[in-house]
Amino acid sequence: MAVKIRLARFGKANAPFYNIVIANARTARNSKPIEVLGTYDPIPKPPPYGQGKPFKDIKLDTARAKYWLGVGAQPSDPVWRLLAMVGLIEPKYSIIQAQRQKTKPTTIDQTKPAEGPRIM
């Protein structure tokens, strides 16, 4: 049984709210999950006392998340990003990796002629 850690959408139109759930990979997005690990509210909340940057609320049971990652549950891309923000796993993509891929030179050695059968 393939198990995934993914987001189940709740809330109303233009006000999403997600549960971070453990679910069978072949079930629908909002079907009954195996377990609910936490919640994620993507709407930025104003900072307390009016100072600082707005924040997005993430509540997560880290012990259960570590357990499910340990037994082989595969996180979806959005959940991977959330777990990386919490510090449970390494980020899949980082700005440094993206910059390295952009600046990696691609050289083609044109000193040797192409080898292969010649047809005359």
Side-chain angles (χ1 to χ4, degrees):
M1 177 168 89
V3 179
K4 285 191 138 317
I5 305 174
R6 61 186 183 194
L7 298 176
R9 190 181 196 277
F10 291 95
K12 53 187 179 180
N14 298 324
F17 186 81
Y18 296 95
N19 278 350
I20 303 169
V21 299
I22 304 296
N24 188 349
R26 295 175 184 240
T27 60
R29 179 187 71 185
N30 286 339
S31 63
K32 187 174 179 181
I34 297 171
E35 183 177 347
V36 177
L37 294 179
T39 60
Y40 169 57
D41 189 1
I43 307 295
K45 302 274 187 278
Y49 309 113
Q51 298 175 350
K53 294 172 32 177
F55 65 94
K56 298 178 181 180
D57 191 25
I58 302 171
K59 295 180 182 170
L60 181 68
D61 185 355
T62 56
R64 294 301 293 167
K66 285 180 186 176
Y67 166 77
W68 282 106
L69 289 170
V71 297
Q74 296 296 312
S76 65
D77 287 340
V79 173
W80 190 298
R81 184 179 54 82
L82 293 174
L83 293 176
M85 287 170 56
V86 174
L88 291 178
I89 56 178
E90 291 294 320
K92 187 179 274 191
Y93 305 107
S94 68
I95 296 171
I96 296 169
Q97 288 175 344
Q99 289 174 349
R100 284 183 190 162
Q101 289 178 354
K102 285 182 182 177
T103 61
K104 185 184 281 187
T106 56
T107 59
I108 300 173
D109 188 16
Q110 296 179 353
T111 59
K112 292 184 180 180
E115 295 182 22
R118 292 186 188 184
I119 301 174
M120 296 212 168

